[in-house]
Amino acid sequence: MREIVFDTETTGLDPRSGDRLVEIGCIEMVNRVPTGSVFHCYFNPERDMPAEAEAVHGLSITFLSDKPKFAEKTGEFLDFIGDSPLVAHNAGFDFGFMNNELEMCGLEPVSRDRMIDTVAIARRKHPGAKLSLDALCSRYGIDRSHRTKHGALLDAELLAQLYVELMGGRQIGLELAADVAARAEAVAMQETVMVSGSVTRTFRSPRPHAASAEELARHDAFMAGFSEPIWSR
């Protein structure tokens, strides 16, 4: 099962008012284990950077001025996410900015049917609790000591750990793909065999299960040691 955990940084809170996406970080997970494959990019927003936004993520317009525009990276980005489910924290926010950028490029938005919102998952598991990424990392003991400012790739890495915990814990990801494939192959070999394009069942020879004469004698000797057993009444 392939999923993409991602996060964005922006110039503000509302793409409809002209705010733009300035950073995106994506992490590939298979069976909820990070594969090491990532997509990370900064973007030139072609506008100013409000001081309050820069205070959150530390990205100045000077730093971003020589970075590619989103339109220059759309193909690479869409190839990376493919048709996989997309996991984000307060996912509606990230989807809003991502789809606004795609629509500005004349491309179809990503369907929200693919959206997995970890805030919604956390709200169901912990009603009334604080649901920020920081608060949930503290709840699950996820180290974020190296996080001094928001950053899309760093936050996606923390979110990937949190997502696994929210979905049941680290044990979910302990099945290696090779083990899964080997078990599937073994089951398939036991159940069916292909013969001239048709499928036939394969049955094992029954294993001997009757007790031997020696075993029966030992059993009789053991039972003789009981005094007036109830099954003899």
Side-chain angles (χ1 to χ4, degrees):
M1 179 177 62
R2 183 179 190 264
E3 296 169 299
I4 301 297
V5 179
F6 82 107
D7 185 61
T8 62
E9 299 299 337
T10 68
T11 64
L13 300 177
D14 188 0
R16 295 170 297 182
S17 66
D19 284 319
R20 300 289 301 275
L21 190 151
V22 296
E23 183 188 8
I24 191 164
C26 305
I27 294 177
E28 180 187 62
M29 299 185 80
V30 175
N31 296 329
R32 302 204 176 117
V33 177
T35 66
S37 180
V38 304
F39 176 87
H40 178 231
C41 195
Y42 296 104
F43 303 109
N44 181 347
E46 302 179 89
R47 55 153 291 169
D48 64 310
M49 178 64 71
E52 55 270 25
E54 185 174 342
V56 171
H57 49 57
L59 302 175
S60 68
I61 197 62
T62 302
F63 172 78
L64 296 168
S65 61
D66 63 348
K67 301 303 184 285
K69 300 176 180 63
F70 185 87
E72 299 171 39
K73 291 290 185 176
T74 52
E76 186 178 344
F77 169 66
L78 292 173
D79 285 345
F80 184 84
I81 65 173
D83 59 358
S84 300
L86 302 176
V87 182
H89 201 63
N90 191 20
F93 176 89
D94 300 284
F95 263 70
F97 273 91
M98 174 181 64
N99 282 337
N100 180 66
E101 296 289 343
L102 291 171
E103 289 170 353
M104 290 176 67
C105 297
L107 298 171
E108 289 292 320
V110 175
S111 172
R112 291 193 175 226
D113 291 341
R114 295 167 59 182
M115 184 172 76
I116 299 175
D117 186 2
T118 49
V119 168
I121 297 171
R123 183 177 289 116
R124 290 194 297 270
K125 291 197 68 169
H126 309 294
K130 293 181 179 179
L131 301 177
S132 69
L133 182 60
D134 282 338
L136 289 166
C137 283
S138 294
R139 173 182 283 272
Y140 285 98
I142 297 170
D143 180 22
R144 66 182 196 286
S145 59
H146 53 306
R147 182 183 188 243
T148 57
K149 287 185 179 293
H150 289 249
L153 187 60
L154 173 58
D155 286 1
E157 290 170 349
L158 293 173
L159 182 58
Q161 297 178 62
L162 174 61
Y163 178 52
V164 171
E165 295 294 346
L166 288 172
M167 299 306 289
R170 293 183 178 87
Q171 68 271 18
I172 290 176
L174 293 181
E175 287 190 318
L176 299 178
D179 294 338
V180 174
R183 283 196 294 273
E185 183 179 0
V187 170
M189 290 179 65
Q190 291 173 10
E191 291 186 348
T192 61
V193 59
M194 298 299 295
V195 179
S196 301
S198 62
V199 179
T200 59
R201 291 285 179 182
T202 302
F203 296 96
R204 292 178 175 174
S205 300
R207 290 173 291 184
H209 56 275
S212 66
E214 181 182 356
E215 290 170 333
L216 290 172
R218 288 204 305 269
H219 176 72
D220 290 341
F222 174 77
M223 297 299 290
F226 289 97
S227 176
E228 299 182 356
I230 60 174
W231 54 85
S232 297
R233 293 176 185 173

